[in-house]
């Protein structure tokens, strides 16, 4: 079985997994999750540098340990994706300072 995520990036951000929409009202409230997924999807072909992802997801907020905060956000995003029913354990992975989206789920 081929696993696919269909994404709408223009206008309202929306994701469908295998034809079923993610829970939009819950996702809309979780802006870190949205920013994380938008960045990973946008850079799914080549990956996104850890510092660039941190800038996108955390932004200008005053956080003592932004690197740690990014790792926590990635972990929580992975948990959220598992709760939404996406298969696999390592949907988002870090390799050589670059975060990648798994090639197992087509976008």
């Amino acid at each position: 079985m081929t696993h696919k995520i269909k994404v709408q990036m223009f206008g309202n951000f929306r994701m469908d997994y295998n034809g079923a929409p993610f829970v939009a009202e819950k996702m809309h409230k979780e802006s870190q999750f949205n920013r994380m997924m938008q960045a990973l999807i946008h850079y799914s072909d080549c990956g996104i540098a850890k510092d660039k992802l941190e800038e996108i997801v955390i932004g200008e907020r005053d956080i003592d340990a932004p690197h740690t905060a990014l790792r926590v956000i990635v972990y929580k995003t992975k948990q959220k994706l598992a709760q939404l029913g996406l298969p696999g354990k390592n949907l988002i992975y870090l390799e050589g300072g670059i975060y990648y989206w798994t090639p197992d789920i087509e976008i």
Side-chain angles (χ1 to χ4, degrees), residues 39-48 93 98-102 107:
L40 289 168
I41 289 167
H42 183 75
Y43 292 99
S44 62
D45 291 344
C46 57
I48 182 169
Y93 62 97
I98 307 290
Y99 276 100
Y100 295 94
W101 176 256
T102 181
I107 297 173

Side-chain angles (χ1 to χ4, degrees), residues 51-97:
D51 291 338
K52 175 91 172 158
L53 185 60
E54 187 176 294
E55 180 182 314
I56 290 169
V57 175
I58 296 172
E60 298 293 322
R61 290 184 291 152
D62 187 23
I63 295 178
D64 291 337
H67 299 312
T68 302
L70 181 63
R71 284 196 308 267
V72 170
I73 294 166
V74 169
Y75 175 77
K76 287 182 178 182
T77 300
K78 288 179 179 183
Q79 286 183 319
K80 170 80 52 203
L81 292 169
Q83 290 171 355
L84 292 169
L86 273 75
K89 294 186 184 213
N90 208 14
L91 301 175
I92 302 167
Y93 62 97
L94 179 64
E95 188 174 285

Side-chain angles (χ1 to χ4, degrees), residues 16-33:
D16 293 343
Y17 171 63
N18 284 340
F22 282 11
V23 182
E25 62 274 3
K26 287 183 182 177
M27 282 180 31
H28 187 68
K29 293 177 184 174
E30 298 174 16
S31 59
Q32 289 178 336
F33 177 81

